Amino acid sequence: MNAEKTILAAPVLVAEPSVLSGADREANSRAAADAERQARYRLVIEQGSRAGSFVYKTLDRETGEVVRQLPSEEVMEMRKREDYGVGAVINTTV
């Protein structure tokens, strides 16, 4: 170690708490609540019954409940029918 060099102290920065308006506090609180709610869910992707098809499920991590599924159970049941064809979900003839 070189005895001729001196060590200088670095200036200390002190973070002051920011002053938030009521609207800013409410927005931050809302954003935190949304983030907490979204962290509760997880996406599960399963292979469907047909080759190349997939089922996307949003599960509640705490309860294990399926919150949303795409395609829906109704569409999955429709696909099993013999008379099902592409576009069968929407009736375009009137």
Side-chain angles (χ1 to χ4, degrees):
M1 187 162 135
N2 191 345
E4 296 175 11
K5 293 193 176 190
T6 58
I7 299 174
L8 300 175
V12 176
L13 298 176
V14 178
E16 295 291 327
S18 62
V19 178
L20 296 177
S21 70
D24 290 337
R25 264 192 301 260
E26 183 178 326
N28 284 348
S29 176
R30 200 172 324 118
D34 287 345
E36 185 177 324
R37 182 179 48 80
Q38 290 174 357
R40 220 181 129 163
Y41 303 115
R42 69 183 179 112
L43 176 64
V44 175
I45 303 172
E46 300 173 347
Q47 189 162 0
S49 57
R50 293 189 197 173
S53 68
F54 296 93
V55 178
Y56 301 87
K57 295 179 180 179
T58 303
L59 299 178
D60 185 318
R61 289 179 190 267
E62 294 178 10
T63 65
E65 174 188 4
V66 176
V67 177
R68 173 177 265 176
Q69 175 179 317
L70 296 173
S72 68
E73 285 291 332
E74 293 169 335
V75 173
M76 300 288 287
E77 289 300 316
M78 287 175 66
R79 286 183 177 172
K80 292 179 185 176
R81 295 192 340 222
E82 289 182 25
D83 63 339
Y84 175 78
V86 175
V89 176
I90 300 172
N91 183 2
T92 57
T93 59
V94 178

